[in-house]
Amino acid sequence: MDDSRVGDALRAAGRSAAPAGPPGLESTFDLVERTKAGDREALNRLFTRYLPALRRWASGRLPRWTRDLMDTDDLVQETVIRAVKRIDRFESRHEGALQAYLRQAIVNRIRDEVRRTKRSPLATALDENASDRGASPLEAAIGTEALERYEAALARLRPEEREAIVTRVEMDGSYQEVAQALGKPSADAARMAVSRALLRLAEEMTRGQA
């Protein structure tokens, strides 16, 4: 996929961050397949759908110290550009797979930055008072032990359940956005999916304490 198409799509996504009117719920799977076939409008819609949510997720999920490496918005945008250039090799096995793929790409990008920084450490003194430097806002909110239980329980859920929770809770997505991410026919169907997923999460977290 050439750079000009990706650049045009990013600019279009920036102009249309707020959806105009109630669009139809197109599945991500269909948009990915159309993008692979060269459909620029499908590419625009993928960026519009995922960039704002991924930025929210990165702001809440990545440890605070990683923000010293690169501005979060820049990091997310750069990572999405790289991932989309390789979208021809992406295989969408289930609804939500692209979102998970992009999140993992962001995490990998952060790890690359960490390794690069360790090889060329900055000559700056560490703040002795920065005891929570490694914590993310999510970890700070619920505590390290609870976050570990949450992570373990989340990993035991089915992919659709996991994506429903991440989209709604971590990405602060609307139920329509959840429906789009999971290929649900309506916001009400997405609401039910999220409710069931949260019940399963609570059961798994309780089981993890036993």
Side-chain angles (χ1 to χ4, degrees), residues 24-56:
L25 295 179
E26 293 179 280
S27 77
T28 298
F29 178 85
D30 289 339
L31 290 177
V32 168
E33 293 305 305
R34 285 168 49 193
T35 298
K36 288 180 179 180
D39 187 331
R40 184 168 295 190
E41 178 59 27
L43 178 62
N44 292 347
R45 293 193 183 194
L46 282 177
F47 276 122
T48 300
R49 180 174 296 182
Y50 284 109
L51 268 178
L54 285 166
R55 284 170 176 152
R56 289 195 299 270

Side-chain angles (χ1 to χ4, degrees), residues 190-208:
R191 190 191 309 272
M192 292 178 62
V194 170
S195 296
R196 288 194 297 266
L198 288 172
L199 284 174
R200 284 269 294 115
L201 178 70
E203 290 171 1
E204 290 294 335
M205 289 186 70
T206 301
R207 187 161 67 88

